Amino acid sequence: MTGAEAATPGFRGAVVGGHLGSRFPRVCEGVLWRCRSGRRLPCGIRMRFRLTPVSGAGLVLFCLLLGAVQSYALQLNLTDSKGTCLFAKWEMNFTISYETTNKTVKTVTISEPPNVTYNGSSCGDDRNSTKIVVQFGSAISWKVNFTKEASYYFIDSILLSYNTSDSTTFPGAADKGSVPVNNSLQEIKFPLNNIYRCNSLLILDTDSVVQRYWHIHLQAFVENGTVSKKENVCEKDIPVTTVAPIIHTTVPSPTTTPTPTPTPTPTPKVGNYNVTNGNTTCLLATMGLQLNITEEKVPFIFNINPATTDFTGKCLPQTAQLRLNNSQIKYLDFIFAVKSENRFYLKEVNVSMYLANGSAFSVSNNNLSFWDAPLGSSYMCNKEQIVSVSRTFQINTFNLKVQPFNVTEGKYSTAQECSLDDDTILIPIIVGAGLSGLIIVIVIAYLIGRRKSYAGYQTL
C-alpha cells in the first residue's frame, strides 16, 4: 500500500491523494477493476504522483470521476457498487510537545509526509459507522468515526496516536511508545445529502497536542453514489454582513474637522497562571501581556485577555513550560531553563496565531536570556518590560512576576526585582547632582568676587 492508494475490503475501489500542497500530479493512470457484474469498469483509480511546481493550473484529482479540481493535501474517495460512498479532502497538522532524555520539553509540528496511507478507511451504513483512517509512516495514526442519525451525522470520535519510539520524528524522547489522544465533536451536526465545507482553521488543543484542520470538504455518507452539490458551510466561513449607512440628503454647513488624536492602546489586564505537577503547584506566573507584531511593515498590537485565555504547562527538573492559547492564539509558549545549577531564565518563546487580516503568524526563538533570577526566588518587574523575540515580534509585559522552579506551598518566594523597578539608584544620583550644582555655584561666586577685587587697583 502506497501513500497514493487505499484498498478497502468490501468496496470496489478507492481514490486517494497524497501530500500535494499546491502542486499537481503530472501522470494519472486509471486501473480497471472487475465489478460484481463481471464487466471491467473503472470502479477505482490508482494515482501516481510526480510533483511539478506549476501554479494556477487545474489539478487532475479524480481523472474519471470528478475532473479537474483544486488540490488538497489529503484526499480520499471511497466507492462501492453504487459509486462514491465517502468523499473527503482536507488539510491538517499536529504540534506535539514531549519530554526528552535530558529533561527538556521539545515541540515538533507534523504535517503530511509523502508516505501517507489510508488502511482501515471504510464507508458505513445504518449499522456500522463510517471511518477515515490515516497513517503518517510509523509516527502518527489518525482515525475519525462518523455516526449517522436520522437526517444528520456527527463525528463520534477523533483518535490521534503518536509513537515516540519513532526517533526520526521524536528525537531523544524519554518515554517510548504509543500515546493516544481522543476527542469528540458530537455537538457539530452535519446534514445528510450535503457536502460540508470549512476553509477556516479549526483547532483542537488537548494536553500537549494541538490539532489543526482547514480546507475541509466532506460528505461521509454519500447517497446514490453521487457527491452532493449542495454545500453546508461552517459558521467561520460565513461572511459578516454589514448594514449600509443611511445617507441624508441634507448637506450640513461645512465645518473644520479637527485631526483626531490616535487612541493609545490600553494596558493589558493582568492574569494569574499556574502549572501543577500532580497536586503540587510547580510554576507561578502573574503578568499583563501585550503582543507587538510587524507584518509587512504594518504594526499589529494585541492585548491578551486572561478571562478568555486557557493555559497549560509542564515542569521538569531542568526546564518548565507555560503555554497560553485562545480563539486567536494557537499557542504562546514561555519555556524556562536552569543555568549554572543555581539560576533560572526565560530561554525560549514560541508563538503561532492568526492576525486580524486572517493571515497566519509564527515565530520561534530558543536563544533568549530574559527574567534571570536565582533558583528558589521569583523574578519581578512591575514596570513595562520588552521581550524582543524577533525582528517582527516582541512581547510587552506589565506587573510581571514569575517563578518556574522550587515553588513552595503554591506561593511566590522572595522576588529579585528588575533594574527598571530599582529606585534606590535615584538617591545617589539626586545627591550627586545637588553637590555638583553647589560646587558650580561656589566656583562662579569665587570668580566674580576675585574680578571685583581687582577692579579698584590702578597701575603706578
Side-chain angles (χ1 to χ4, degrees):
M1 184 74 63
T2 69
E5 299 177 37
T8 306
F11 297 96
R12 299 296 173 268
V15 181
V16 298
H19 178 50
L20 302 181
S22 60
R23 302 186 178 189
F24 304 91
R26 187 174 297 178
V27 176
C28 178
E29 297 178 349
V31 178
L32 294 177
W33 293 56
R34 186 171 298 277
C35 300
R36 291 179 180 174
S37 62
R39 298 165 56 194
R40 292 174 58 83
L41 299 174
C43 301
I45 297 174
R46 178 180 179 181
M47 300 184 71
R48 180 184 304 152
F49 296 134
R50 297 179 183 175
L51 305 183
T52 176
V54 178
S55 60
L59 167 62
V60 182
L61 174 59
F62 305 144
C63 301
L64 300 178
L65 295 178
L66 299 177
V69 298
Q70 184 180 357
S71 68
Y72 285 80
L74 291 170
Q75 307 169 55
L76 178 63
N77 189 81
L78 297 180
T79 62
D80 59 10
S81 58
K82 296 180 181 179
T84 298
C85 56
L86 182 148
F87 177 83
K89 48 187 180 181
W90 74 104
E91 295 188 44
M92 64 182 179
N93 65 32
F94 314 111
T95 298
I96 302 173
S97 299
Y98 65 96
E99 182 182 350
T100 63
T101 53
N102 59 358
K103 304 300 181 182
T104 60
V105 177
K106 188 174 181 63
T107 300
V108 296
T109 297
I110 301 170
S111 298
E112 300 84 9
N115 56 336
V116 175
T117 55
Y118 302 83
N119 301 332
S121 299
S122 64
C123 290
D125 50 34
D126 293 334
R127 296 186 304 272
N128 302 312
S129 62
T130 292
K131 293 184 293 185
I132 297 178
V133 186
V134 181
Q135 299 86 26
F136 295 172
S138 62
I140 297 291
S141 175
W142 180 82
K143 179 172 73 171
V144 55
N145 288 323
F146 301 93
T147 299
K148 181 168 67 171
E149 286 189 5
S151 61
Y152 65 89
Y153 63 94
F154 58 86
I155 297 177
D156 185 61
S157 66
I158 296 178
L159 177 61
L160 169 68
S161 297
Y162 60 96
N163 189 358
T164 54
S165 299
D166 189 317
S167 58
T168 302
T169 307
F170 303 99
D175 299 324
K176 306 292 185 181
S178 180
V179 182
V181 179
N182 204 349
N183 292 275
S184 177
L185 295 178
Q186 296 185 10
E187 67 276 6
I188 302 179
K189 309 295 185 182
F190 305 93
L192 291 172
N193 303 321
N194 284 256
I195 184 168
Y196 175 77
R197 173 174 66 81
C198 196
N199 293 322
S200 300
L201 180 71
L202 304 177
I203 300 176
L204 294 178
D205 194 343
T206 307
D207 296 330
S208 57
V209 178
V210 179
Q211 305 176 45
R212 305 177 192 86
Y213 305 94
W214 68 100
H215 284 171
I216 303 169
H217 282 60
L218 168 70
Q219 189 172 356
F221 295 89
V222 178
E223 296 189 359
N224 301 320
T226 303
V227 177
S228 175
K229 295 182 179 181
K230 185 178 179 181
E231 285 190 337
N232 173 33
V233 182
C234 69
E235 184 177 351
K236 286 189 174 183
D237 279 6
I238 299 175
V240 178
T241 303
T242 58
V243 179
I246 300 174
I247 301 175
H248 299 280
T249 56
T250 303
V251 180
S253 58
T255 56
T256 303
T257 304
T259 303
T261 304
T263 304
T265 303
T267 301
K269 295 180 180 179
V270 176
N272 295 305
Y273 313 99
N274 64 79
V275 177
T276 58
N277 189 0
N279 296 325
T280 304
T281 301
C282 57
L283 182 150
L284 292 171
T286 302
M287 51 189 169
L289 295 173
Q290 185 179 88
L291 309 184
N292 287 264
I293 300 168
T294 304
E295 187 80 351
E296 297 181 356
K297 298 183 179 181
V298 178
F300 172 77
I301 299 176
F302 178 74
N303 285 350
I304 292 182
N305 183 3
T308 58
T309 300
D310 297 324
F311 57 90
T312 57
K314 228 178 231 187
C315 294
L316 299 173
Q318 297 295 316
T319 59
Q321 177 198 41
L322 172 65
R323 164 168 286 187
L324 309 181
N325 69 281
N326 55 33
S327 59
Q328 189 166 1
I329 300 173
K330 292 186 283 184
Y331 59 84
L332 173 59
D333 290 340
F334 297 92
I335 298 178
F336 302 86
V338 174
K339 68 176 180 179
S340 304
E341 300 300 326
N342 59 0
R343 299 187 73 85
F344 72 83
Y345 68 106
L346 178 66
K347 180 180 185 295
E348 183 176 347
V349 169
N350 305 312
V351 66
S352 179
M353 62 182 295
Y354 277 82
L355 306 183
N357 60 6
S359 63
F361 178 83
S362 297
V363 163
S364 180
N365 190 337
N366 62 357
N367 194 28
L368 302 176
S369 185
F370 293 99
W371 307 349
D372 188 300
L375 284 174
S377 68
S378 59
Y379 177 87
M380 182 173 69
C381 198
N382 290 318
K383 294 184 179 178
E384 181 180 0
Q385 189 180 28
I386 298 176
V387 176
S388 182
V389 180
S390 72
R391 181 178 55 84
T392 59
F393 179 63
Q394 69 181 32
I395 303 174
N396 292 12
T397 64
F398 301 81
N399 298 315
L400 168 71
K401 194 171 186 179
V402 293
Q403 185 171 347
F405 300 99
N406 300 351
V407 177
T408 304
E409 297 180 354
K411 299 179 181 178
Y412 285 105
S413 301
T414 304
Q416 173 171 309
E417 297 186 49
C418 65
S419 58
L420 296 173
D421 287 353
D422 192 359
D423 295 332
T424 56
I425 195 174
L426 293 177
I427 296 176
I429 291 175
I430 294 172
V431 173
L435 290 175
S436 299
L438 181 60
I439 292 172
I440 292 172
V441 170
I442 293 173
V443 170
I444 293 174
Y446 172 74
L447 293 175
I448 293 174
R450 280 182 58 100
R451 184 175 180 184
K452 287 183 178 180
S453 64
Y454 281 115
Y457 293 92
Q458 299 293 331
T459 304
L460 299 178

